[in-house]
Coordinates of all heavy atoms in Angstrom, one line a residue:
K20 N -11.6 -4.0 -3.5 CA -12.6 -5.0 -3.3 C -14.0 -4.4 -3.5 O -14.9 -5.0 -4.2 CB -12.5 -5.6 -1.9 CG -13.5 -6.7 -1.6 CD -13.2 -7.3 -0.2 CE -14.2 -8.4 0.2 NZ -15.5 -7.9 0.5
E21 N -14.2 -3.2 -3.0 CA -15.5 -2.5 -3.2 C -15.8 -2.2 -4.6 O -16.9 -2.4 -5.1 CB -15.5 -1.3 -2.3 CG -16.8 -0.5 -2.4 CD -16.7 0.9 -1.8 OE1 -16.0 1.0 -0.8 OE2 -17.2 1.9 -2.3
R22 N -14.8 -1.7 -5.3 CA -14.9 -1.3 -6.7 C -15.2 -2.6 -7.6 O -16.0 -2.5 -8.6 CB -13.7 -0.6 -7.2 CG -13.5 0.8 -6.6 CD -14.6 1.7 -6.8 NE -15.7 1.6 -5.8 CZ -16.9 2.2 -5.9 NH1 -17.2 2.9 -7.0 NH2 -17.7 2.0 -5.0
V23 N -14.5 -3.7 -7.3 CA -14.7 -4.9 -8.1 C -16.1 -5.4 -7.9 O -16.9 -5.8 -8.8 CB -13.7 -6.0 -7.8 CG1 -14.0 -7.3 -8.5 CG2 -12.3 -5.5 -8.2
E24 N -16.6 -5.4 -6.6 CA -17.9 -5.8 -6.3 C -19.0 -5.0 -6.9 O -20.1 -5.4 -7.3 CB -18.1 -5.8 -4.7 CG -17.3 -6.9 -4.0 CD -17.4 -6.8 -2.5 OE1 -17.9 -5.8 -2.0 OE2 -17.0 -7.8 -1.8
Y25 N -18.7 -3.7 -7.1 CA -19.6 -2.7 -7.7 C -20.0 -3.1 -9.2 O -21.0 -2.7 -9.7 CB -18.9 -1.4 -7.7 CG -19.7 -0.2 -8.3 CD1 -20.7 0.4 -7.5 CD2 -19.4 0.3 -9.6 CE1 -21.4 1.5 -8.0 CE2 -20.1 1.4 -10.1 CZ -21.1 2.0 -9.3 OH -21.8 3.0 -9.8
T26 N -19.1 -4.0 -9.8 CA -19.4 -4.4 -11.2 C -20.3 -5.6 -11.3 O -20.7 -6.0 -12.4 CB -18.1 -4.7 -12.0 OG1 -17.5 -5.8 -11.3 CG2 -17.2 -3.5 -12.0
F27 N -20.8 -6.1 -10.1 CA -21.6 -7.3 -10.1 C -22.9 -7.0 -9.3 O -22.9 -6.2 -8.3 CB -20.9 -8.5 -9.5 CG -19.7 -8.9 -10.3 CD1 -18.4 -8.6 -9.8 CD2 -19.8 -9.6 -11.5 CE1 -17.3 -9.0 -10.5 CE2 -18.7 -10.0 -12.2 CZ -17.5 -9.7 -11.7
Y28 N -24.0 -7.6 -9.7 CA -25.3 -7.5 -9.0 C -25.1 -8.1 -7.6 O -25.5 -7.6 -6.6 CB -26.4 -8.1 -9.8 CG -27.7 -8.1 -9.0 CD1 -28.5 -7.0 -9.0 CD2 -28.2 -9.3 -8.4 CE1 -29.7 -6.9 -8.3 CE2 -29.4 -9.2 -7.7 CZ -30.2 -8.1 -7.7 OH -31.4 -8.0 -7.0
D29 N -24.5 -9.4 -7.6 CA -24.3 -10.1 -6.4 C -22.8 -9.9 -6.1 O -21.9 -10.5 -6.8 CB -24.6 -11.6 -6.6 CG -24.4 -12.4 -5.3 OD1 -23.9 -11.8 -4.3 OD2 -24.6 -13.6 -5.3
P30 N -22.5 -9.2 -5.0 CA -21.0 -8.9 -4.7 C -20.2 -10.2 -4.5 O -19.0 -10.2 -4.7 CB -21.1 -8.1 -3.4 CG -22.5 -7.6 -3.3 CD -23.4 -8.5 -4.0
K31 N -20.9 -11.3 -4.2 CA -20.2 -12.6 -4.0 C -19.6 -13.1 -5.3 O -18.7 -13.9 -5.2 CB -21.1 -13.6 -3.4 CG -21.6 -13.3 -2.0 CD -22.6 -14.3 -1.5 CE -23.1 -14.0 -0.1 NZ -24.3 -14.8 0.3
T32 N -20.0 -12.6 -6.4 CA -19.4 -13.0 -7.7 C -18.0 -12.5 -7.8 O -17.2 -13.1 -8.5 CB -20.2 -12.4 -8.9 OG1 -21.6 -12.7 -8.7 CG2 -19.8 -12.9 -10.2
A33 N -17.7 -11.5 -7.1 CA -16.3 -11.0 -7.0 C -15.5 -11.8 -6.1 O -15.3 -11.5 -4.9 CB -16.2 -9.5 -6.6
S34 N -14.9 -12.9 -6.6 CA -14.2 -13.9 -5.8 C -12.9 -13.2 -5.3 O -12.4 -12.2 -5.8 CB -13.8 -15.1 -6.7 OG -12.9 -14.7 -7.7
K35 N -12.3 -13.8 -4.2 CA -11.1 -13.3 -3.7 C -10.0 -13.3 -4.8 O -9.1 -12.4 -4.8 CB -10.6 -14.1 -2.5 CG -9.4 -13.5 -1.8 CD -9.0 -14.3 -0.5 CE -7.9 -13.6 0.2 NZ -6.7 -13.4 -0.6
E36 N -10.0 -14.4 -5.6 CA -9.0 -14.5 -6.7 C -9.1 -13.3 -7.6 O -8.1 -12.7 -8.0 CB -9.2 -15.8 -7.4 CG -8.2 -16.1 -8.5 CD -8.5 -17.3 -9.3 OE1 -9.6 -17.9 -9.2 OE2 -7.6 -17.8 -10.0
L37 N -10.3 -12.9 -8.0 CA -10.5 -11.8 -8.9 C -10.1 -10.5 -8.2 O -9.4 -9.7 -8.9 CB -12.0 -11.7 -9.3 CG -12.4 -10.6 -10.3 CD1 -11.6 -10.7 -11.6 CD2 -13.9 -10.6 -10.5
V38 N -10.5 -10.3 -7.0 CA -10.1 -9.0 -6.3 C -8.6 -9.0 -6.1 O -8.0 -7.9 -6.4 CB -10.8 -9.0 -4.9 CG1 -10.2 -7.8 -4.1 CG2 -12.3 -8.9 -5.0
D39 N -7.9 -10.1 -5.8 CA -6.5 -10.1 -5.7 C -5.8 -9.8 -7.0 O -4.8 -9.1 -7.0 CB -6.0 -11.5 -5.2 CG -6.3 -11.8 -3.8 OD1 -6.7 -10.9 -3.0 OD2 -6.2 -13.0 -3.4
E40 N -6.4 -10.3 -8.1 CA -5.8 -10.0 -9.4 C -5.8 -8.5 -9.7 O -4.9 -7.9 -10.2 CB -6.6 -10.8 -10.5 CG -6.0 -10.8 -11.8 CD -6.8 -11.6 -12.8 OE1 -7.4 -12.6 -12.4 OE2 -6.8 -11.3 -14.0
V41 N -7.0 -7.9 -9.5 CA -7.1 -6.4 -9.7 C -6.3 -5.6 -8.8 O -5.6 -4.6 -9.2 CB -8.6 -6.0 -9.6 CG1 -8.7 -4.5 -9.7 CG2 -9.5 -6.7 -10.6
F42 N -6.2 -6.1 -7.5 CA -5.3 -5.4 -6.5 C -3.9 -5.4 -7.0 O -3.1 -4.4 -6.9 CB -5.5 -6.1 -5.2 CG -4.7 -5.4 -4.1 CD1 -5.0 -4.2 -3.6 CD2 -3.6 -6.1 -3.5 CE1 -4.2 -3.6 -2.6 CE2 -2.8 -5.5 -2.5 CZ -3.2 -4.2 -2.0
E43 N -3.4 -6.6 -7.5 CA -2.0 -6.7 -8.0 C -1.8 -5.7 -9.1 O -0.8 -5.1 -9.2 CB -1.8 -8.1 -8.4 CG -0.3 -8.4 -8.8 CD 0.0 -8.1 -10.3 OE1 -0.9 -8.3 -11.1 OE2 1.1 -7.6 -10.6
I44 N -2.8 -5.6 -10.0 CA -2.6 -4.7 -11.2 C -2.5 -3.3 -10.7 O -1.6 -2.5 -11.2 CB -3.9 -4.9 -12.1 CG1 -3.8 -6.2 -12.8 CG2 -3.9 -3.8 -13.2 CD1 -5.1 -6.6 -13.5
T45 N -3.4 -2.9 -9.8 CA -3.4 -1.5 -9.4 C -2.2 -1.1 -8.5 O -2.0 0.1 -8.2 CB -4.7 -1.2 -8.6 OG1 -4.8 -2.0 -7.5 CG2 -5.9 -1.4 -9.5
N46 N -1.4 -2.1 -8.0 CA -0.2 -1.8 -7.2 C 1.0 -1.5 -8.1 O 2.0 -1.2 -7.6 CB 0.0 -2.9 -6.3 CG -0.5 -2.7 -4.9 OD1 -0.9 -1.5 -4.6 ND2 -0.7 -3.7 -4.1
S47 N 0.8 -1.7 -9.4 CA 1.9 -1.4 -10.3 C 1.7 -0.1 -11.0 O 0.7 0.1 -11.7 CB 1.9 -2.5 -11.4 OG 2.7 -2.1 -12.5
I48 N 2.6 0.9 -10.8 CA 2.5 2.2 -11.4 C 2.4 2.2 -12.9 O 1.5 2.8 -13.5 CB 3.6 3.2 -10.9 CG1 3.4 3.4 -9.4 CG2 3.6 4.5 -11.6 CD1 4.5 4.2 -8.7
P49 N 3.3 1.4 -13.6 CA 3.2 1.4 -15.0 C 1.9 0.8 -15.5 O 1.3 1.4 -16.5 CB 4.4 0.4 -15.4 CG 5.3 0.5 -14.3 CD 4.5 0.7 -13.1
K50 N 1.3 -0.2 -14.9 CA 0.0 -0.7 -15.3 C -1.1 0.3 -15.1 O -2.0 0.5 -15.9 CB -0.3 -2.0 -14.5 CG 0.6 -3.2 -14.9 CD 0.3 -4.4 -14.1 CE 1.2 -5.6 -14.6 NZ 0.9 -6.8 -13.8
V51 N -1.1 1.0 -13.9 CA -2.1 2.0 -13.6 C -2.0 3.1 -14.6 O -3.1 3.6 -15.1 CB -1.9 2.5 -12.2 CG1 -2.8 3.8 -11.9 CG2 -2.3 1.4 -11.2
L52 N -0.8 3.5 -15.0 CA -0.7 4.6 -16.0 C -1.4 4.2 -17.3 O -2.0 5.0 -18.0 CB 0.7 5.0 -16.2 CG 1.4 5.7 -15.1 CD1 2.9 5.9 -15.4 CD2 0.8 7.1 -14.8
R53 N -1.2 3.0 -17.7 CA -1.8 2.5 -18.9 C -3.3 2.4 -18.8 O -4.1 2.7 -19.7 CB -1.2 1.1 -19.3 CG 0.2 1.3 -19.9 CD 1.0 0.0 -19.9 NE 2.3 0.2 -20.6 CZ 3.4 0.7 -20.0 NH1 3.3 1.2 -18.8 NH2 4.5 0.9 -20.7
I54 N -3.8 1.9 -17.7 CA -5.2 1.8 -17.4 C -5.9 3.1 -17.5 O -6.9 3.3 -18.1 CB -5.5 1.1 -16.1 CG1 -5.2 -0.4 -16.1 CG2 -6.9 1.3 -15.6 CD1 -5.1 -1.1 -14.8

């Protein structure tokens, strides 16, 4: 959540939906390896 908010001037732009999406991605080892 903190890292996603870091990409915006206003942290509120990082919606829960967006944070959840990134969280889901980073919980997958194959996806993280590619990233």
